Amino acid sequence: AARLGKIYDVLFETQKNGLWHGYTENYIPVAVKDEGTESLRGKILPVRLSALASDGCIGERLPDETENL
C-alpha cells in the first residue's frame, strides 16, 4: 500500500484481456488499461500505481515527456 500514488518506470511485456502487463525496476507486477493506440511491448513508460490487485498493482499511464520532442 505504501507504493500507491507513486510513479514508477514500467517495462511492458504482455497484453491480455484489455490490459498491458509489465514490471517496475523492483519487479512489482503492474497492469494498465490497453488504450488500443499502440503496442507497449518492450517499452519502458512512467506509470502511477493507483490500486492493489491480487497479483500486483493497477496503474495509470502518464504522458511520456519524450513523445512531444
Side-chain angles (χ1 to χ4, degrees):
R3 295 183 176 100
L4 293 184
K6 296 191 175 162
I7 297 170
Y8 292 90
D9 287 333
V10 175
L11 171 60
F12 290 97
E13 297 180 348
T14 60
Q15 189 270 352
K16 183 178 177 184
N17 298 329
L19 295 172
W20 276 99
H21 299 268
Y23 294 91
T24 69
E25 61 270 17
N26 297 330
Y27 302 104
I28 301 166
V30 178
V32 299
K33 182 180 176 185
D34 179 7
E35 298 171 1
T37 55
E38 62 180 313
S39 172
L40 302 184
R41 187 181 319 273
K43 293 186 178 183
I44 298 173
L45 299 170
V47 172
R48 176 177 282 116
L49 302 186
S50 58
L52 294 176
S54 61
D55 57 351
C57 292
I58 303 295
E60 303 167 3
R61 275 185 63 189
L62 299 178
D64 185 357
E65 296 169 2
T66 61
E67 289 179 1
N68 299 322
L69 295 179

